[in-house]
């Protein structure tokens, strides 16, 4: 968002409205802090964020995870440590950007100590100027100049028209001269050429300005054996005329290759253009004046005033990140030019000295350092280093003025194509105090202007020139006398640790600097950066974090050329300060003071990290012979070890984080600063490789594949060595650190909380130990990988694996399972390649295991041996005895490592075994791998629980199923007998098939058997399943029968084939009663089958149990038949509406209903009286009144229906009803009461059917359905004697006729058999009496008298 300044109606005291301030508040919110999270950004935020900051104090500490997060304690140690490294590296990138601690205002904070250990830089060596240079210098006639090309370790001197270069680091250097022109040299500059103009060897252009011409000389630099560079000059034949311009300033753009210059006669900016070839209107080399018109427009015209000295440029500086050029004139005017993409150069800002003074005047009261100053140098600040600050100007009084530039719409941050339009002063850093107080103590350091800003110190007056290098190294050259014969050098550098960690958590970071005074003893001629430009990150946030890269990058080195020699200085890292301070502050309490100072300034975490680094040999110092060596003094290393142990702090239980009891207490513990220090140190060691790719594919010079390491192998070895020292340090000091001391450390705890705290600390430190070990071996693996012909390995990989390798980072290799798996694939490729080349597998694998054991473990060696045995078996022939022995040996080896065998390795082995017809071995290996992958048999419990989803056990089952799928493939191959094979081959194949099926059938793996049976059913191999004699089949089918009717059918079929009829009946009964969607007829069928099976004898089955089962089946079958009757009757009942009929059919044509339901809902309501009778019988309902009424209603309903339809005749319908009901009612006396039915039917026949049909049809139908003669005789006899209505008087003959007809039938039936007529003399006597009664009472019809007489004679014959 653009900053918009609003002009108030009246000027506010002390305010400068046009000065843009840091836009700290946008959208009404306070931005998050850019510094370490153990400091709050403001007082207002401190209270609100105190709890969060407590958790974030230690990077990578175990934090309470919020919604959607994964608690850290659920992670494996390697992943937990990797998470810590990622959090630490992320925290390192949040180092405050320059704008955050160089805000609007003034300051004068310096820390200048009288102890050299705390100095920001240390002198390395002074290189003398060669005598040959002095010899040439003494011959000078007009002028001489000197300068440095520090990035190539070369210095130069111009003597009149000659230019000489020499390697100032060489004890006896050769001079490289440029003497091809006759004019006096006025300026020299080394610039970067535009790409594509010169040959690749020319990496720099030497721009030599003389009184008449500018010459472009090519320069190449090759690394030399002594660590320096071998420089050569090339003639480019490019030059331009500059007559009339006394060139004194030359500058170049490294990004575009453009070259600018200016002279002492004016403030014009010229450009040298150059190209490969001449064009129509442009020479190969020419000159452009960009400002002759533009500058004149800004100059006031006053022809009558005094004549002033011409203004000219004293310095130019280029900022390629913003495409800007800054110029400083002799009148301290700063101008800003914008380099346009089309080659133009536009003046966008001109800031005279009075405007600069006016800006500063609004920040501070009157100061001689401001009112009497001039600007002596300018230094750009790139957009990588700061978002808002653009430029630092140094005054003659030693003040540093930081300026920002803005465009019309806001801050110019990253858009280099957008030119700024105004420039304002943001901050002024005043010089340090003129004297450093001495308090007698050798350890006293001076904190200057800590409470109030000192604006009057003239310690840096007069400043002759000054230079700033990122991330804030300041070199100020102060003349010691008016003649400028010698210079004193004031150096300051940012105190990164204090900037990252302010003293007050409620304050923003201050611009803390460490200062140093050096007396050069001569005049400085030039200064240059001898090392690569510093940057810790490519963006402002994190750019200046020197702590993060102190072990990863070479410390910055500065070269200063004086008239006596070249002074080299080295940036002193924090680890170097700690080590040197320990050495210099000797004594009983000296080292402790050093550690306490570090804790006070930088915190315990940083102190622990630094102490660990010193103890591991990271400290460097300059020896007396000017060599930079590691500090190996045992006393220093021992104290650093003690400092890490003693000042490492303690873990803390964060009670403020307790929200509920859902999290374990161990997750509420914040690890100690010692753990933070270890994490910081390890993260800084591996920061350059953590996110880097391992390998990158390119095209070789011959057009083939070339695979190169993304990180140099030298760098990898250095990191590996540093990590190995950390590992050794932790191993050696395990007993001194409670969290690593082992279980005995728990003895010192006094409470449960202390025990939990110790466990949390152990978990954190142990995780880091595991990661450190894995990183050491991971780097060793990468080194092994590039020792091989990696191109051949890459080509042998699958496309998927190759694509994964292209994306594999060191982080992935160190800390992820996919990275480890990919590494093992590469190890396998290495072993296979060496085996193919004739190497022994044990030798190769053992060598790999020694160098990177976690990537080639003992199990991996066994796998390689087993694979070798398989290959040898293939060579020997799988049908030979030797080949079979090799296969058996390979199976034995594979089974040893079954728990660690990957799916790819298993697939490989099974496929090879299958091809060599080692079917039993393939199946057995797959079974072993599946079992080892689930030692707790959780997959079986998941199956037994009904296979719920989602469930974590499902993934375990799927893992085992992949093994079983391989067995399925083997079984399929077993079923494919070899075609056109000989009898011997067929017999051999059958034997091996038998062996394989024996392994399958005898397997005790219930999960496998379950999966196998599933597969059989899916393949339609039902009969094979029924033929298996295994208890798992029953278990499997029983488990599935409750959900799958097909499985239930298979189950009772399996029991039937096994002659377990009672079990089959139980399954069929369960099917009939089940909730499966089954029609009623199927249920009746199941009950019928069940009844038949229950009636069949089953060995071992108890008779009472079988009888109980049979009774249950019979009862249910009876109910089912009744329900079927109701169903069929309702289907034809036209009284139901179609909709109701559908509902009724759906209900009845399914599960078997209860008798109550059938009776109350359907039978009684629908007047199905015959079915009601069946229900009475099934329910054993013996109420005679109900039964009699139902029979009566039944006969009436039949009569009505028959009469309504006309046929059959009513009596015929009743006869048919009796015929159908009698068998089902079994003529039971309570449900088929003949005493009631016979009179009832006789009355019906007399009243409704008289004269219709046979007179004796009632007796005939009763005899036909099986009613005993004796029963019928007794009922008719009682009717005859009782004269019941309507059979009294003359109507009695109807009963007598039926009785006569019954006696005739009875006699015939008994006379045909071997028995006695009428059942014996007693019965015959009774019959005779009754017949006498009928004769005396004239109950016999006249037409039947003869029949009566004949029958009477037969009966009397029986009596004789």
């Amino acid at each position: 968002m653009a900053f918009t300044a609003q002009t108030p109606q009246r000027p506010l005291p002390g305010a400068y409205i046009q000065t843009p301030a840091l836009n700290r508040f946008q959208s009404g919110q306070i931005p998050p802090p850019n510094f370490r999270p153990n400091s709050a950004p403001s007082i207002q935020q401190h209270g609100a964020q105190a709890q969060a900051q407590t958790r974030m104090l230690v990077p990578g500490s175990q934090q309470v995870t919020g919604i959607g997060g994964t608690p850290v304690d659920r992670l494996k140690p390697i992943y937990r440590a990797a998470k810590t490294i990622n959090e630490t590296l992320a925290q390192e990138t949040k180092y405050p950007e320059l704008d955050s601690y160089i805000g609007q205002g003034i300051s004068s904070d310096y820390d200048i100590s009288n102890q050299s250990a705390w100095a920001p830089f240390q002198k390395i060596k002074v290189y003398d100027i060669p005598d040959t240079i002095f010899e040439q210098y003494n011959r000078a006639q007009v002028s001489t100049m000197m300068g440095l090309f520090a990035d190539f370790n070369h210095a130069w001197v111009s003597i009149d028209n000659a230019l000489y270069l020499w390697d100032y680091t060489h004890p006896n250097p050769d001079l490289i001269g440029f003497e091809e022109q006759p004019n006096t040299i006025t300026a020299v500059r080394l610039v970067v050429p535009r790409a594509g103009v010169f040959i690749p060897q020319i990496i720099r252009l030497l721009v030599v300005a003389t009184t008449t011409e500018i010459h472009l000389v090519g320069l190449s630099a090759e690394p030399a054996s002594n660590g320096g560079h071998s420089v050569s000059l090339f003639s480019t034949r490019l030059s331009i005329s500059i007559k009339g311009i006394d060139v004194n300033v030359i500058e170049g753009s490294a990004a575009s290759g453009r070259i600018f210059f200016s002279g002492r006669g004016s403030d014009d900016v010229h450009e040298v253009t150059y190209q490969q070839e001449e064009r129509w209107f442009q020479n190969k080399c020419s000159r452009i004046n960009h400002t002759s018109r533009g500058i004149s427009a800004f100059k006031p015209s006053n022809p009558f005033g005094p004549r002033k000295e011409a203004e000219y440029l004293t310095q130019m500086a280029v900022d390629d990140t913003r495409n800007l050029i800054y110029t400083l004139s002799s009148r301290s005017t700063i101008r800003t030019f914008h380099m346009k993409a089309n080659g133009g150069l536009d003046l966008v800002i001109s800031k005279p000295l009075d405007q600069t003074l006016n800006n500063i005047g609004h920040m501070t009261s009157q100061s001689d350092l401001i009112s009497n100053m001039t600007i002596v140098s300018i230094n750009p600040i790139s957009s990588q280093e700061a978002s808002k600050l653009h430029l630092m100007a140094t005054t003659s009084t030693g003040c540093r003025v930081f300026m920002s530039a803005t465009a019309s719409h806001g801050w110019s941050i990253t858009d280099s194509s957008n030119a700024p339009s105004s420039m304002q002063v943001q901050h002024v850093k005043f010089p340090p105090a003129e004297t450093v107080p001495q308090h007698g103590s050798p350890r006293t350091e001076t904190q200057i202007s800590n409470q109030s800003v000192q604006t009057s110190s003239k310690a840096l007056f007069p400043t002759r020139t000054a230079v700033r290098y990122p991330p804030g190294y300041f070199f100020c050259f102060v003349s010691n006398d008016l003649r400028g014969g010698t210079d004193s050098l004031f150096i300051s550098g940012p105190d990164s640790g204090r900037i990252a960690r302010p003293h007050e958590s409620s304050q923003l970071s201050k611009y803390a600097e460490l200062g140093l005074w050096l007396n050069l003893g001569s005049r400085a001629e030039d200064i240059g950066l001898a090392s690569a430009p510093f940057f810790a990150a490519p963006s402002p946030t994190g750019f200046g974090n020197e702590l993060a890269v102190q072990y990863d990058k070479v410390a910055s080195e500065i070269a200063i050329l004086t008239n006596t020699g070249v002074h080299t200085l080295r940036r002193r890292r924090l680890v170097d300060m700690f080590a040197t301070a320990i050495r210099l502050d000797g004594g009983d309490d000296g080292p402790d003071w050093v550690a306490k100072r570090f804790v006070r300034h930088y915190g315990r975490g940083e102190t622990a990290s630094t102490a660990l680094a010193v103890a591991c040999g990271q400290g460097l110092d300059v020896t007396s012979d000017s060599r930079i060596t590691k500090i190996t003094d045992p006393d220093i290393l021992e104290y650093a070890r003690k400092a890490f142990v003693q000042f490492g702090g303690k873990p803390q239980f964060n009670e403020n984080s307790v929200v509920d009891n859902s999290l374990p207490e161990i997750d509420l513990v914040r690890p100690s600063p010692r753990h933070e220090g270890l994490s910081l140190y390890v993260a800084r060691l591996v920061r350059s490789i953590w996110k880097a790719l391992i390998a990158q594919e390119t095209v070789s010079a011959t057009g083939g594949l070339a695979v190169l390491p993304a990180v140099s192998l030298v760098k990898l070895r250095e990191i590996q060595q540093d990590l190995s020292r950390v590992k050794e340090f932790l191993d050696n000091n395990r007993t001194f650190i409670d969290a690593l001391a082992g279980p005995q450390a728990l003895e010192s705890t006094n409470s449960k909380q202390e025990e939990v705290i110790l466990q949390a600390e152990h978990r954190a430190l142990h995780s880091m130990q595991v990661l450190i070990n894995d990183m050491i071996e991971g780097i060793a693996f990468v080194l092994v990988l590039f020792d091989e012909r990696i191109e051949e390995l890459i080509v042998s990989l699958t496309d998927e694996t190759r694509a994964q390798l292209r994306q594999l980072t060191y982080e992935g290799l160190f800390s992820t399972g996919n990275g480890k798996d990919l590494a093992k694939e590469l190890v396998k490729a290495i072993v296979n390649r060496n085996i193919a080349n004739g190497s022994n597998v044990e030798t190769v694998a053992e060598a790999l295991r020694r160098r990177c054991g976690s990537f080639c473990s003992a199990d991996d060696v066994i796998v390689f041996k087993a694979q070798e045995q398989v290959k040898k078996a293939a060579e020997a022939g799988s049908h030979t005895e030797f080949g079979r022995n090799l296969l058996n040996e390979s199976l034995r080896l594979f089974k040893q490592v079954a728990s660690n065998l990957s799916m790819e390795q298993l697939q490989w082995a099974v496929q090879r075994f299958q091809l060599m017809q080692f079917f039993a071995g393939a199946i057995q290996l797959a079974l072993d791998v599946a079992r080892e992958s689930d030692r707790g048999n959780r997959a079986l419990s998941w199956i037994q629980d009904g296979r719920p989803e989602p469930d974590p056990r499902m993934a375990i089952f799927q893992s085992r199923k992949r093994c079983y799928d391989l067995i399925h493939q083997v079984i399929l191959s077993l079923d494919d007998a070899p075609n056109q094979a000989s009898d011997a081959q067929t017999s051999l194949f059958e034997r091996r098939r038998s062996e394989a099926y024996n392994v399958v059938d005898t397997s005790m793996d219930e999960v496998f058997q379950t999966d196998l049976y599933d597969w059989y059913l899916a393949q339609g191999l039902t009969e094979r399943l029924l033929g298996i004699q295994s208890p798992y089949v029953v278990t499997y089918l029983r488990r599935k029968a409750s959900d799958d009717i097909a499985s239930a059918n298979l189950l009772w079929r399996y029991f039937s084939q096994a002659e377990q009829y009672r079990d089959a009946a139980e399954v069929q009964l369960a099917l009939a009663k089940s909730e499966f969607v089954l029609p009623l007829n199927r249920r009746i069928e199941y009950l019928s089958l069940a009844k038949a099976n229950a009636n069949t004898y089953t060995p071992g089955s108890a008779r009472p149990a079988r009888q109980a089962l049979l009774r249950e089946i019979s009862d249910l079958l009876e109910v089912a038949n009744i329900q079927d009757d109701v169903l069929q009757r309702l289907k034809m009942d036209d009284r139901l509406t179609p909709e109701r009929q559908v509902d009724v059919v759906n209900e009845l044509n399914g599960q078997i209903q209860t008798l109550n339901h059938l009776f109350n809902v359907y039978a009684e309501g629908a007047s199905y009286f015959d079915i009601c009778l069946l229900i009475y019988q099934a329910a054993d309902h013996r109420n005679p009144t109900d039964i009699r009424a139902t029979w009566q209603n039944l006969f009436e309903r039949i009569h009505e229906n028959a009469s309504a339809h006309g046929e059959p005749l009513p009596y015929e319908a009743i006869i048919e009803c009796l015929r159908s009901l009698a068998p089902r009612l079994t003529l039971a006396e309570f449900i088929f009461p003949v005493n009631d039915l016979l009179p009832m039917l006789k009355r019906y026949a007399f009243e409704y059917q008289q004269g219709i049909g046979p007179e004796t049809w009632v007796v005939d139908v009763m005899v036909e359905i099986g009613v005993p003669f004796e029963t019928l005789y007794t009922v008719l006899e009682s009717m005859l004697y009782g004269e019941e209505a309507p059979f009294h008087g003359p109507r009695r003959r109807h009963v007598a006729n039926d009785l006569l007809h019954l006696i005739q039938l009875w006699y015939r039936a008994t006379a045909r058999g071997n028995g006695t007529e009428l059942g014996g003399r007693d019965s015959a006597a009774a019959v005779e009496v009754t017949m006498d009664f009928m004769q005396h009472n004239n109950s016999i019809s006249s037409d039947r008298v003869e029949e009566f007489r004949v029958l009477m004679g037969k009966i009397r014959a029986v009596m004789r």
Side-chain angles (χ1 to χ4, degrees), residues 1263-1279:
V1263 172
E1264 179 183 351
I1265 62 178
V1267 179
F1269 291 105
E1270 294 87 346
T1271 303
L1272 293 174
Y1273 172 80
T1274 302
V1275 175
L1276 289 174
E1277 182 185 35
S1278 64
M1279 290 177 63

Side-chain angles (χ1 to χ4, degrees), residues 215-384:
H215 299 269
L216 303 183
V217 181
L219 182 145
S220 68
E222 299 292 339
S225 59
N226 61 352
H229 293 83
S230 175
V231 171
S232 301
L233 299 182
F234 293 84
S235 174
T236 64
R237 299 181 181 179
L238 296 178
S239 62
I240 58 170
S241 174
I242 53 168
K243 291 182 179 179
I245 303 176
D246 186 7
V247 176
N248 66 324
V249 178
I250 304 173
E251 190 57 76
S253 168
S256 62
R258 299 174 68 177
I259 303 172
F260 305 96
F261 67 92
S262 184
R264 290 187 176 87
S266 69
D267 55 2
D268 292 340
V269 177
H270 304 265
E271 180 178 359
V272 178
T273 63
Y274 55 98
Q275 56 193 14
Q276 276 187 327
E277 299 176 353
E278 292 186 359
R279 299 178 184 174
W280 282 99
F281 301 102
Q282 191 174 9
N283 295 328
K284 292 177 64 176
C285 190
S286 58
R287 173 172 61 90
I288 300 175
N289 187 338
H290 288 288
T291 58
S292 59
R293 295 180 180 179
I295 296 298
S296 62
F298 289 87
K299 293 181 180 179
S301 177
N302 186 7
F304 302 103
R307 187 170 183 177
K308 297 182 179 180
E309 182 181 355
E311 183 179 13
Y312 61 92
L313 300 185
T314 60
Q315 186 182 356
M316 284 194 295
V318 174
D319 181 0
D320 280 320
T321 62
R322 294 187 173 97
N323 286 340
L324 299 179
I325 296 179
Y326 305 101
T327 65
L328 175 64
S329 75
S330 57
R331 296 177 185 172
S332 298
T333 297
I334 299 174
R335 296 184 177 91
T336 305
F337 296 85
H338 181 237
M339 294 185 291
K340 302 178 72 174
N342 59 3
L345 189 70
D346 294 343
L347 174 64
V348 293
I349 301 173
S350 180
K351 192 171 186 65
L353 179 61
D354 56 351
Q355 287 188 13
T356 303
L357 294 174
N358 191 18
N359 290 171
I360 298 174
H362 288 275
M363 298 180 183
T364 181
S365 58
Q366 185 67 27
S367 171
D368 292 341
L369 300 183
I370 301 301
S371 58
N372 299 321
M373 76 173 192
T374 59
I375 298 177
V376 297
S377 68
I378 56 174
N379 295 101
I381 300 174
S382 70
S383 62
Q384 291 181 332

Side-chain angles (χ1 to χ4, degrees), residues 827-1075:
V827 167
K828 185 168 65 175
I830 293 173
V831 173
N832 291 337
R833 178 178 173 275
N834 282 273
I835 292 175
N837 293 336
S839 301
N840 181 272
V841 64
E842 285 194 49
T843 304
V844 176
E846 188 63 28
L848 288 170
R849 193 163 66 88
R850 284 198 308 269
R851 297 185 62 178
C852 44
S854 62
F855 298 96
C856 184
S857 62
D859 286 349
D860 294 329
V861 175
I862 294 176
V863 171
F864 294 143
K865 290 180 181 178
Q867 291 174 339
E868 186 180 34
Q869 297 296 318
V870 174
K871 294 176 182 177
K872 288 181 178 179
E875 296 171 357
S878 60
H879 299 295
T880 64
E881 181 179 358
F882 181 61
R884 302 305 287 185
N885 291 336
L886 290 173
L887 288 174
N888 284 312
E889 176 64 15
S890 68
L891 175 61
R892 185 186 68 81
L893 293 173
F894 276 129
K895 291 172 67 174
Q896 288 182 13
V897 293
S899 59
N900 294 322
L901 209 61
S902 68
M903 181 53 61
E904 292 75 12
Q905 292 169 334
L906 176 62
Q907 289 174 343
W908 183 91
V910 169
Q911 290 172 359
R912 297 303 187 278
F913 285 168
Q914 187 175 339
L915 289 174
M916 289 183 279
Q917 295 187 358
F918 190 37
F919 304 118
I923 295 172
Q924 188 61 59
L925 178 59
L927 288 173
D928 288 351
V929 172
R931 184 185 65 252
E932 290 297 325
S933 67
D934 182 20
R935 300 289 294 273
N937 221 2
R938 297 183 65 194
L940 179 60
S941 67
W942 177 70
I943 293 174
Q944 292 173 341
D945 291 344
R947 308 190 183 196
E949 293 185 23
D951 192 293
R953 296 172 296 176
M954 181 179 179
I956 300 175
F957 171 77
Q958 294 296 336
S959 176
R960 295 182 68 164
K961 189 178 187 308
R962 285 193 288 271
C963 301
Y964 302 146
D965 289 342
L966 297 177
I967 299 178
H968 301 162
Q969 296 175 10
V970 177
I971 293 176
L972 288 176
S973 65
L974 289 173
D975 296 337
D976 297 332
N979 296 326
Q980 298 179 355
S982 63
D983 293 341
Q985 290 176 335
T986 302
S987 176
L988 179 62
F989 185 83
E990 289 297 329
R991 185 171 71 251
R992 291 175 179 172
R993 175 157 54 186
S994 176
E995 293 172 354
Y997 274 116
N998 182 61
V999 174
V1000 171
D1001 295 339
T1002 59
S1003 172
M1004 302 302 292
D1005 186 348
E1006 186 174 350
V1007 180
F1008 162 66
Q1009 297 289 359
T1010 301
D1011 179 74
L1012 178 66
Y1013 303 154
D1014 283 339
W1015 183 72
Y1016 277 161
L1017 294 181
Q1019 298 292 318
L1021 303 175
T1022 305
E1023 296 303 322
R1024 178 177 294 183
L1025 177 62
L1026 295 177
I1028 297 175
Q1029 299 299 320
S1030 171
Y1032 294 124
V1033 177
V1034 176
T1035 304
Y1036 168 78
L1037 292 177
R1038 283 192 185 278
R1039 188 181 296 124
K1040 292 179 66 68
S1042 59
D1043 300 322
D1044 180 30
I1045 188 171
S1047 300
N1049 286 325
L1050 287 175
L1051 180 59
W1052 69 258
R1053 288 179 59 191
Y1054 184 84
F1055 282 137
S1056 296
Q1057 288 188 13
E1059 297 183 352
Q1060 299 177 14
Y1061 301 111
R1062 178 174 174 272
D1063 293 330
E1066 289 179 344
V1067 175
Q1068 290 161 341
L1069 174 61
L1071 276 171
K1073 297 164 63 175
S1074 69
E1075 296 183 359

